[in-house]
Amino acid sequence: MRKPITLLLVTMSAALAGCGETFPEQSLLGAGAGAATAVVLDGSPFTGAVVGAAGNLVYCQTNPGKCN
């Protein structure tokens, strides 16, 4: 049980560390992180990708100084 939690934290940290400089980069990096997290947690990769992309876009658009 600890392995999925560790992988989730690593994936989330990587997503926040590399959230991209442009809108497409932010979308793709968020989608990748979301899909990877969903696979680790036995969820739907498609849903994870959608949620990850949206979450990364919202974060990077509201905190532009933290996403470079």
Side-chain angles (χ1 to χ4, degrees):
M1 187 63 149
R2 291 186 53 87
K3 186 175 181 179
I5 292 171
T6 303
L7 289 174
L8 173 64
L9 292 174
V10 169
T11 303
M12 290 173 59
S13 297
L16 290 176
C19 54
E21 294 181 11
T22 65
F23 192 82
E25 287 177 355
Q26 293 168 356
S27 299
L28 289 173
L29 289 170
T37 302
V39 167
V40 169
L41 297 176
D42 292 328
S44 167
F46 177 76
T47 303
V50 171
V51 172
N56 200 38
L57 285 172
V58 168
Y59 179 80
C60 289
Q61 297 300 313
T62 57
N63 301 298
K66 295 182 180 180
C67 285
N68 291 328

